[in-house]
């Protein structure tokens, strides 16, 4: 064996010089190839790939669960005192709330919603018990957002209880006031008054429904019938006998000129119907009578009948 190895070494050294140079170049290239393969397989790259795969899997799980992916990924949470009525978007996100939860808070406040207590904030959609208990110590409701009734509750024990004479006088005044404000049988108020004070005179109508009557009347452009009160959710129909409709100027829809957004703003025209009107005007020109819309699938006869008093063809 030693003779064989010696023969091989001797054979190498007896190679021509040019062949030895080629052999050295091949050995060098092989060594460089091994180094490239070694460094290309850096474990850190594998870990990074695994991390990306985990994130992608989390996003997939979130989409299948029907909730945003950010709720499944860890975000740095910075707890600090906040008022849910005034906190801005950045602060709410720092508290660990999801973007869609913050959007719900902003939407709720833009519609006039107010958080009067911590319990109100606990009603936030998909807020877990763990999240609420974490945030509860930091919730600060400013005094101006608390119910006004708390002012009387705070002074209840400091105000002397009235004597029997004063109490009787107060009760008498209260009965006279109620009798004076509420309508008697046969009396009516104008439905187009659009005044909450007027509507509160109707027995069975308080602040909530008086406000709803005003809001719906403004959206309609005015009432043409007391039966339109039935279009208000859960309206007490027994109170309709106290309303009448006096002649008044109705805000009309210029059906040949209004763009899509203005058409769909009216309660009697939905988005699909507004688009159908725009398309009819584009293809056929002016609309001189609502009867031409009977040919469209978007309109029923009842839709056209209730819309008729509100249409102008100028």
């Amino acid at each position: 064996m030693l003779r064989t190895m010696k023969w091989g070494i001797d054979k190498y050294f007896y190679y021509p010089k040019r062949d030895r140079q080629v052999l050295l170049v091949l050995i060098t290239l092989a060594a460089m190839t091994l180094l490239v393969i070694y460094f290309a397989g850096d474990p850190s790259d594998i870990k990074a790939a695994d991390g990306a795969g985990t994130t992608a899997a989390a996003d997939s799980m979130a989409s299948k669960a029907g909730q945003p992916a950010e709720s499944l990924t860890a975000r740095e949470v910075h707890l600090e005192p906040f008022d849910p009525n005034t906190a801005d978007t950045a602060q709410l996100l720092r508290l660990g709330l999801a973007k869609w939860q913050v959007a719900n808070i902003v939407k709720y406040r833009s519609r006039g919603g107010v958080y009067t207590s911590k319990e109100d904030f606990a009603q936030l959609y998909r807020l877990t018990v763990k999240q609420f208990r974490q945030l509860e110590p930091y919730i600060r409701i400013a005094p101006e957002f608390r119910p006004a009734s708390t002012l009387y509750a705070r002074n209840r024990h400091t105000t002397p209880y009235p004597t029997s004479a004063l109490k009787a006088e107060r009760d008498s005044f209260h009965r006279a006031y109620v009798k004076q404000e509420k309508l008697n049988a046969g009396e009516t108020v104008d439905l187009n008054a659009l005044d909450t004070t007027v509507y509160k005179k109707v027995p069975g109508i308080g602040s909530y429904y008086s406000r709803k009557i005003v809001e719906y009347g403004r959206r309609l452009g005015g009432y043409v019938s007391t039966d339109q009160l039935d279009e208000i959710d859960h309206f007490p129909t027994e109170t309709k006998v106290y309303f009448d409709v006096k002649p008044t100027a109705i805000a009309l829809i210029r059906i040949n000129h209004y763009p899509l957004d203005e058409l769909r703003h009216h309660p009697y025209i939905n988005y699909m119907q507004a688009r159908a009107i725009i398309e009819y005007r584009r293809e056929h020109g002016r609309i001189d009578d609502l009867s031409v819309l009977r040919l469209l699938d978007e309109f029923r006869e009842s839709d056209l009948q209730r819309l008729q008093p509100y249409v102008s063809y100028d």
Side-chain angles (χ1 to χ4, degrees), residues 24-35:
L24 287 174
V25 171
L26 292 175
I27 293 172
T28 303
L29 290 174
M32 292 177 63
T33 302
L34 291 174
L35 289 174

Side-chain angles (χ1 to χ4, degrees), residues 50 78 146 171-173 221 295:
D50 289 343
H78 178 68
R146 297 187 181 278
D171 292 344
S172 176
F173 173 79
L295 303 176

Side-chain angles (χ1 to χ4, degrees), residues 75-78 91-98 101 131 135:
R75 281 194 291 116
E76 184 179 355
V77 177
H78 178 68
Q91 184 181 19
L92 294 172
L93 289 173
R94 288 198 303 269
L95 293 168
L97 296 174
Q101 288 178 313
Q131 286 178 306
L135 295 173

Side-chain angles (χ1 to χ4, degrees), residues 1-127:
M1 182 176 179
L2 291 174
R3 291 177 59 188
T4 304
M5 292 176 61
K6 184 175 182 301
W7 179 84
I9 293 172
D10 292 342
K11 184 179 179 181
Y12 169 77
F13 285 104
Y14 282 109
Y15 282 161
K17 182 178 180 180
R18 183 176 180 182
D19 292 343
R20 290 200 301 271
Q21 290 176 344
V22 171
L23 184 60
L24 287 174
V25 171
L26 292 175
I27 293 172
T28 303
L29 290 174
M32 292 177 63
T33 302
L34 291 174
L35 289 174
V36 170
I37 293 174
Y38 176 80
F39 287 108
D42 191 345
S44 62
D45 294 340
I46 298 175
K47 291 180 180 179
D50 289 343
T54 303
T55 303
D59 291 344
S60 176
M61 289 171 60
S63 62
K64 290 179 180 179
Q67 67 182 74
E70 70 162 328
S71 62
L72 297 179
T73 58
R75 281 194 291 116
E76 184 179 355
V77 177
H78 178 68
L79 296 177
E80 58 186 2
F82 72 101
D83 187 336
N85 293 297
T86 57
D88 58 19
T89 301
Q91 184 181 19
L92 294 172
L93 289 173
R94 288 198 303 269
L95 293 168
L97 296 174
K99 290 182 180 179
W100 52 272
Q101 288 178 313
V102 174
N104 285 343
I105 293 173
V106 173
K107 185 178 180 180
Y108 174 71
R109 296 190 313 202
S110 67
R111 292 181 175 181
V114 176
Y115 297 99
T116 61
S117 65
K118 295 181 179 181
E119 290 75 12
D120 288 347
F121 187 73
Q123 305 301 317
L124 180 63
Y125 183 60
R126 284 195 179 179
L127 183 70

